[in-house]
Amino acid sequence: MSASDNDVLKALRSAFAPHALTTDPAELDAHAVDKGPLEHWQVHPPRAVVFAESTQDVQRLVRLSAEHGFALITRGAGTSVSGGANSTEGSVVLNLTRMNQILAMRPEDEVAVVEPGVINADLNAAAAEHGLMYAPDPASYRTSTIGGNVATNAGGLRCAKYGVTRDSVLALDVVLADGTLIHTGQATFKGVAGYDLTSLFVGSEGTLGIVVGVTVRLRHLSPHTETIAAFFEELTTAAQGVLEIGKARVQPAITELLDRNTMLALDQAQGSDLAQRGNTLLLIQTDGHGAAIEAEIIRDVLRGLGATVSDPGSAESERLIELRRHARGDGIATEVRVGEDVAVPRSRLVDYIRAIEDLAEEHQVQLKVVAHAGDGNLHPTFSVPSSELSPSAVSETTADDDAASPAAPEAAPVTIDPSNLDPTTVDAAESDLPASAMSRLHAALDGSVRLALEMGGTITGEHGIGTYKLRWLDWEQSAEVIALQRRIKDVFDPECRLNPGRAIL
Amino acid sequence: MSASDNDVLKALRSAFAPHALTTDPAELDAHAVDKGPLEHWQVHPPRAVVFAESTQDVQRLVRLSAEHGFALITRGAGTSVSGGANSTEGSVVLNLTRMNQILAMRPEDEVAVVEPGVINADLNAAAAEHGLMYAPDPASYRTSTIGGNVATNAGGLRCAKYGVTRDSVLALDVVLADGTLIHTGQATFKGVAGYDLTSLFVGSEGTLGIVVGVTVRLRHLSPHTETIAAFFEELTTAAQGVLEIGKARVQPAITELLDRNTMLALDQAQGSDLAQRGNTLLLIQTDGHGAAIEAEIIRDVLRGLGATVSDPGSAESERLIELRRHARGDGIATEVRVGEDVAVPRSRLVDYIRAIEDLAEEHQVQLKVVAHAGDGNLHPTFSVPSSELSPSAVSETTADDDAASPAAPEAAPVTIDPSNLDPTTVDAAESDLPASAMSRLHAALDGSVRLALEMGGTITGEHGIGTYKLRWLDWEQSAEVIALQRRIKDVFDPECRLNPGRAIL
């Protein structure tokens, strides 16, 4: 069942006030894509965008979607780097950013209740007033919403110690495909009544229901942190350092590994001299009341491996970790690149990095690697130089939201302007590149994903499948699992109106 | 579709060797019930018990179940305290305790892969050789299996810091209702490919599939722990202490609260003098490299509230926490009691305990309370004295596996002997008690569950719904959620052959 544009727009206009609804072409274009690569994706601006201000608004729109049979693409800040928020043909976009109230902050229970449009950083700022934090910290935390974080089960730097989004979500309010509002989970840390629907919704990329309320567990904002920068001659030794820290039974809050090419990129952007001081950099932060003790153990362990280790209280280490945290994948106009998000068992970090270095050489593409080394989640970025770009367009393929490729703050980032994209173009990035360069880039990407799976890993540690990674999903999942997921989708959304074409095959 | 006993037994005998199959009445009786209360439950010994030794055995039995239409009740050690492992009429019990191999121990990755019949304590012993632990620690950890822990999403004492079973399960191998074997999840700490089927299986009480392999995350076994015993005059102050510890940004590994009646019971069983030293006892353990620092902060906080606090290194504190940990709910023949398992937001601990004290008085039942105070999970035990027992039988209603009611070790526990139970008896416990005593006990239980829900809590923090708590499930879950769960069950097990009659309505 599909309705004409006129019918749908008429229904929307009678249901929503003008300030809550737009069909302005620029707005439609802005809601057509997210921060993911556009390869393999046809851009289809939506028919309209609805800015919901209440659960009732969401229910009303969902019921119109059921009545008129249009697809509903739910979106927060649109910071997905996997195309999870791209609109589809004939769809209406539901923008939840106006549902941005912190409904309850209960510091004694270490619990908060928020609307889905609350920005991660805003929740953290509110929690910090009570000495608490919301632990999941994706690189987009200054702009991304809790609803989006829930949809993708977002990770970040602190996951090895504090877990991913799923581990911080206690309960959800969800509007189902027929407009019904349900509540899942408990407001308590423990609760085992019935099936874990909460975890089923977390990470389902909005395909099972629309999250309109999130009860989160907060954690202690540590009064003490210690930051360590350790330079290694050999990548192998740095990765060994990660394992040795584990053997010393220290669980850092943050353990980031940066390879030589990442250090060179940082030097170029920041004027630093990191690459002169080693070939691999480990950035580590400890927290909690034992932070100083743990940092001392880590420094001893890493010095024992021959690393050059920063002294306690090093301001540079603090600066480096902030740089790493805030690094965004935009701003470099001289290359076409795609960042990946695999995870491997952490004992395989070295093997994996060595193998993709070989792969990059084989396919004549450039590679730089950063990793959340504590949990084996890697963000390799593969690129071809802009010298291979066709002169007709400067477009960019960015999926490395979380990779450390900082531009100097004053540099204007090169971003995709959807209004310049022809919706009928199959692949903007491909159209701008000679086929040979694009096929080399794809070969390297495919190979890197295969290698992660061969080493017992996964195709996506924290960015989600979205639309971009669908082509790799059956490399990881069996036909039986794919069929089971499809049947679960059918239970929740039999007409496939909620965020169709992403998350599952 | 239901087959005659003869057909089923013939099929089982042709599929399984004699050592893997029994129809011995004593074995059938032993597999008919678990450690939960038998009220509201008709005891139906199974037709047969199959002891699977491999995934293939499980698949073969599941396919026979599909062919002949018999219900399959999967069971580990049978330590459920909610009737989650009770057999049903005409069922076959699948006993997984022989699938007890640790298939992989990967200390560098802090990951292990185990068969479902591995006992929690055995996994912990194997992990301890590498300085690691498997964090979930239900009171039954010395006998319960990882498969059972997964089925119930088991908790324990360390959950506020280390999470529940779900937080330690990375991946599962599951045999579905048609005999298909699937793998869910990832061997890495992070992974967001597709729906979170792993979490859906965890806590589903074997109703969606049969877990035949579990990949778990291990944690650091702390080289340092500090244990604190703090005696308070007032329960209110003790509960305030729990909140003040949080405000001091200390996250203890263990925070147990014992009320006066629990202390009296301990004194009676152990010859101690706890009740002379206060009316409420907090037992706290810190771990990690900051254990000593954290313990000092806690001692200061609690002394500031007027508590009598143990000195550092107190042997008695260590002994008390071990006593609490190992306390089991059996062994007292002088009362009929039911232990509960609600959870409330921890700021409501005092309100909740005060309210159920009133409830106990109102209904003239006895009450003692222990709580995993760090996460608001309470185990109140309601009882009526055995003087009200009918002289015809000494039977017991035990659900407080996790409540601190230790028997002296030499005392023979009074347990239910299923061979003495008439399968047609509606309710063994009811038949042994005057109606008035039983209705008072029920009124108190019902009231305690309602109060937990009114305070924003849950009817079960960690024991699961099983068969026993089904009657309260629709107090917590809406009709829409109940319907949704039923439809999910239909996707996985449309003929309702896997553990029917538990976990969901």
Side-chain angles (χ1 to χ4, degrees):
Chain A
M1 181 176 65
S2 180
S4 78
D5 254 20
N6 275 349
D7 287 351
V8 169
L9 292 178
K10 198 173 149 191
L12 290 173
R13 287 194 181 111
S14 71
F16 294 98
H19 72 276
L21 173 69
T22 184
T23 55
D24 173 48
E27 281 280 23
L28 299 185
D29 285 343
H31 284 82
V33 292
D34 56 28
K35 304 286 186 192
L38 284 173
E39 307 164 64
H40 306 280
W41 186 252
Q42 289 187 281
V43 176
H44 292 291
R47 287 164 155 171
V49 178
V50 173
F51 298 87
E53 292 176 357
S54 67
T55 295
Q56 291 71 31
D57 281 352
V58 174
Q59 289 179 289
R60 194 178 312 129
L61 181 58
V62 169
R63 287 180 180 131
L64 285 179
S65 149
E67 188 181 336
H68 294 276
F70 58 80
L72 202 51
I73 308 296
T74 304
R75 168 186 190 109
T79 58
S80 167
V81 289
S82 302
N86 291 347
S87 59
T88 58
E89 190 172 4
S91 64
V92 173
V93 166
L94 167 58
N95 182 313
L96 292 174
T97 53
R98 291 186 191 168
M99 289 180 67
N100 62 357
Q101 298 303 300
I102 295 172
L103 301 174
M105 176 65 67
R106 305 200 329 251
E108 293 198 328
D109 295 324
E110 298 172 8
V111 163
V113 183
V114 303
E115 290 188 317
V118 169
I119 289 172
N120 182 306
D122 292 344
L123 173 56
N124 263 298
E129 291 178 24
H130 304 280
L132 297 168
M133 69 172 180
Y134 174 67
D137 59 343
S140 59
Y141 75 98
R142 290 186 295 187
T143 52
S144 66
T145 63
I146 299 299
N149 294 174
V150 167
T152 55
N153 192 12
L157 278 65
R158 296 190 287 227
C159 301
K161 180 161 185 176
Y162 292 105
V164 293
T165 297
R166 196 193 73 198
D167 302 301
S168 285
V169 174
L170 300 173
L172 293 173
D173 300 295
V174 183
V175 173
L176 300 179
D178 64 357
T180 307
L181 175 67
I182 64 165
H183 183 76
T184 71
Q186 291 84 20
T188 49
F189 292 173
K190 275 176 176 168
V192 293
Y195 296 156
D196 187 358
L197 299 182
T198 305
S199 293
L200 187 59
F201 283 113
V202 174
S204 66
E205 303 190 7
T207 61
L208 300 178
I210 298 169
V211 171
V212 294
V214 189
T215 303
V216 299
R217 176 179 180 171
L218 303 171
R219 312 268 174 171
H220 298 164
L221 183 63
S222 179
H224 319 280
T225 60
E226 289 253 354
T227 309
I228 299 158
F231 293 88
F232 293 81
E233 281 309 300
E234 295 292 335
L235 174 71
T236 315
T237 323
Q240 188 58 34
V242 174
L243 301 182
E244 295 291 336
I245 292 167
K247 279 188 198 158
R249 300 301 160 235
V250 175
Q251 177 63 68
I254 295 175
T255 308
E256 297 293 309
L257 181 149
L258 286 66
D259 77 347
R260 179 167 184 80
N261 281 346
T262 302
M263 293 159 75
L264 285 167
L266 280 168
D267 287 346
Q268 197 173 1
Q270 303 288 327
S272 49
D273 63 345
L274 303 177
Q276 291 175 29
R277 295 152 69 189
N279 293 311
T280 307
L281 175 58
L282 275 188
L283 292 173
I284 296 169
Q285 193 166 77
T286 60
D287 68 357
H289 295 282
I293 298 169
E294 293 183 352
E296 194 52 41
I297 294 170
I298 291 170
R299 281 189 290 262
D300 284 350
V301 163
L302 300 185
R303 282 198 192 101
L305 291 169
T308 306
V309 179
S310 61
D311 292 325
S314 152
E316 188 200 28
S317 304
E318 295 281 350
R319 196 176 67 87
L320 283 171
I321 214 152
E322 282 308 299
L323 207 61
R324 166 66 191 102
R325 178 180 282 289
H326 296 148
R328 294 297 297 267
D330 47 23
I332 298 182
T334 57
E335 58 184 17
V336 173
R337 58 201 158 82
V338 176
E340 275 313 320
D341 171 45
V342 298
V344 296
R346 66 184 198 186
S347 64
R348 304 304 301 274
L349 271 175
V350 172
D351 299 339
Y352 185 76
I353 296 174
R354 290 297 182 222
I356 58 174
E357 283 174 348
D358 291 349
L359 200 65
E361 199 175 320
E362 179 191 344
H363 296 291
Q364 294 173 272
V365 299
Q366 292 167 352
L367 168 67
K368 57 180 190 283
V369 180
V370 294
H372 306 309
D375 50 29
N377 184 197
L378 296 111
H379 295 305
T381 300
F382 294 94
S383 59
V384 288
S386 62
S387 56
E388 298 197 37
L389 273 172
S390 79
S392 69
V394 177
S395 187
E396 199 188 1
T397 308
T398 64
D400 56 346
D401 167 86
D402 204 34
S405 317
E410 65 276 13
V414 175
T415 54
I416 296 161
D417 178 354
S419 63
N420 289 338
L421 293 174
D422 177 357
T424 62
T425 301
V426 172
D427 191 317
E430 278 183 15
S431 72
D432 301 338
L433 264 189
S436 62
M438 208 61 206
S439 69
R440 276 158 37 215
L441 195 58
H442 277 174
L445 287 166
D446 286 353
S448 75
V449 169
R450 271 201 199 285
L451 278 167
L453 290 172
E454 283 167 16
M455 292 185 184
T458 176
I459 67 175
T460 177
E462 58 183 10
H463 290 176
I465 296 295
T467 54
Y468 182 70
K469 296 195 175 91
L470 278 176
R471 67 187 183 281
W472 295 319
L473 189 53
D474 65 357
W475 296 7
E476 174 160 344
Q477 294 190 323
S478 68
E480 291 81 7
V481 166
I482 287 168
L484 204 50
Q485 291 180 150
R486 175 54 57 190
R487 290 166 67 200
I488 291 172
K489 168 76 172 172
D490 284 346
V491 164
F492 286 84
D493 180 24
E495 293 160 355
C496 205
R497 286 182 283 103
L498 304 183
N499 283 13
R502 64 212 70 199
I504 61 165
L505 285 171
Chain B
M1 181 173 67
S2 180
S4 78
D5 253 20
N6 275 349
D7 288 350
V8 169
L9 292 178
K10 198 173 150 192
L12 291 173
R13 286 194 181 110
S14 70
F16 295 98
H19 73 277
L21 175 69
T22 183
T23 55
D24 172 51
E27 282 279 23
L28 299 185
D29 285 343
H31 284 82
V33 293
D34 57 27
K35 304 286 186 190
L38 285 172
E39 306 164 64
H40 307 281
W41 186 252
Q42 289 186 283
V43 176
H44 292 291
R47 288 163 155 169
V49 178
V50 172
F51 297 87
E53 291 175 358
S54 66
T55 296
Q56 291 71 32
D57 281 353
V58 174
Q59 289 178 289
R60 194 179 310 129
L61 182 58
V62 169
R63 287 179 181 132
L64 285 179
S65 149
E67 188 180 337
H68 294 276
F70 58 81
L72 202 51
I73 307 297
T74 304
R75 166 185 191 111
T79 58
S80 167
V81 289
S82 301
N86 290 347
S87 59
T88 57
E89 189 171 6
S91 64
V92 173
V93 165
L94 166 59
N95 182 314
L96 291 174
T97 54
R98 291 187 191 168
M99 289 180 68
N100 62 358
Q101 298 302 299
I102 295 173
L103 301 174
M105 177 64 68
R106 304 200 329 253
E108 293 198 327
D109 294 325
E110 299 172 6
V111 163
V113 184
V114 303
E115 290 188 318
V118 168
I119 289 172
N120 182 306
D122 292 345
L123 173 56
N124 264 298
E129 291 178 24
H130 304 279
L132 297 168
M133 70 172 179
Y134 174 67
D137 58 343
S140 59
Y141 76 99
R142 289 187 295 187
T143 52
S144 66
T145 63
I146 299 299
N149 294 174
V150 168
T152 55
N153 192 12
L157 278 65
R158 296 191 286 228
C159 301
K161 180 161 186 176
Y162 292 105
V164 294
T165 297
R166 195 194 74 199
D167 302 301
S168 285
V169 174
L170 300 174
L172 294 173
D173 300 295
V174 183
V175 173
L176 300 178
D178 64 357
T180 307
L181 175 66
I182 64 166
H183 183 76
T184 71
Q186 291 83 19
T188 49
F189 292 173
K190 274 177 177 168
V192 292
Y195 295 157
D196 188 358
L197 299 181
T198 305
S199 293
L200 186 59
F201 283 114
V202 174
S204 66
E205 303 190 7
T207 60
L208 300 179
I210 297 169
V211 171
V212 293
V214 189
T215 303
V216 298
R217 175 180 180 170
L218 303 171
R219 313 268 174 170
H220 297 164
L221 183 63
S222 179
H224 320 280
T225 60
E226 289 253 354
T227 309
I228 299 158
F231 293 87
F232 293 82
E233 280 309 299
E234 295 292 334
L235 174 70
T236 314
T237 323
Q240 188 58 34
V242 174
L243 301 182
E244 294 291 336
I245 292 167
K247 279 188 198 157
R249 301 300 161 235
V250 175
Q251 177 62 69
I254 296 174
T255 308
E256 297 293 309
L257 181 150
L258 286 65
D259 78 346
R260 179 167 183 80
N261 282 345
T262 301
M263 293 161 75
L264 286 167
L266 280 168
D267 287 346
Q268 197 172 2
Q270 303 287 328
S272 49
D273 64 346
L274 304 177
Q276 290 174 30
R277 296 151 69 190
N279 293 311
T280 306
L281 175 58
L282 274 187
L283 292 173
I284 296 170
Q285 193 166 76
T286 60
D287 67 358
H289 295 283
I293 299 170
E294 293 182 353
E296 193 52 41
I297 295 170
I298 291 170
R299 281 189 291 262
D300 284 351
V301 163
L302 299 185
R303 282 197 193 103
L305 292 169
T308 306
V309 180
S310 61
D311 292 325
S314 152
E316 188 200 29
S317 303
E318 295 281 351
R319 197 177 68 85
L320 284 170
I321 214 153
E322 282 309 299
L323 206 61
R324 167 65 191 101
R325 178 180 282 290
H326 296 149
R328 294 298 297 267
D330 46 25
I332 298 182
T334 56
E335 58 185 16
V336 173
R337 60 201 158 83
V338 177
E340 275 313 320
D341 170 45
V342 298
V344 296
R346 66 185 198 187
S347 65
R348 304 303 302 273
L349 271 175
V350 172
D351 298 339
Y352 185 75
I353 296 174
R354 290 296 181 224
I356 58 174
E357 283 173 349
D358 291 348
L359 201 65
E361 199 176 317
E362 179 191 344
H363 296 291
Q364 294 172 273
V365 298
Q366 292 166 352
L367 169 67
K368 57 179 189 282
V369 180
V370 293
H372 307 309
D375 49 30
N377 183 197
L378 296 111
H379 295 305
T381 300
F382 295 93
S383 60
V384 288
S386 62
S387 56
E388 296 197 35
L389 273 172
S390 79
S392 68
V394 176
S395 187
E396 199 187 1
T397 308
T398 66
D400 55 347
D401 167 85
D402 202 34
S405 318
E410 64 276 13
V414 176
T415 53
I416 295 160
D417 178 355
S419 63
N420 289 339
L421 294 174
D422 177 357
T424 62
T425 302
V426 171
D427 190 317
E430 279 184 12
S431 72
D432 300 339
L433 264 188
S436 62
M438 209 60 204
S439 69
R440 276 159 35 215
L441 194 58
H442 278 175
L445 287 166
D446 287 354
S448 75
V449 169
R450 272 200 199 283
L451 278 168
L453 290 171
E454 284 167 15
M455 291 185 184
T458 176
I459 67 174
T460 176
E462 57 183 11
H463 290 176
I465 296 296
T467 54
Y468 181 70
K469 296 194 173 91
L470 278 175
R471 67 187 183 282
W472 295 319
L473 189 53
D474 66 357
W475 295 7
E476 174 159 345
Q477 294 190 324
S478 68
E480 291 81 6
V481 167
I482 287 168
L484 205 50
Q485 291 180 148
R486 174 54 57 190
R487 291 167 66 200
I488 291 172
K489 168 77 173 172
D490 285 346
V491 164
F492 286 84
D493 180 24
E495 292 160 355
C496 205
R497 286 181 282 103
L498 304 183
N499 283 12
R502 66 211 69 199
I504 61 166
L505 285 172

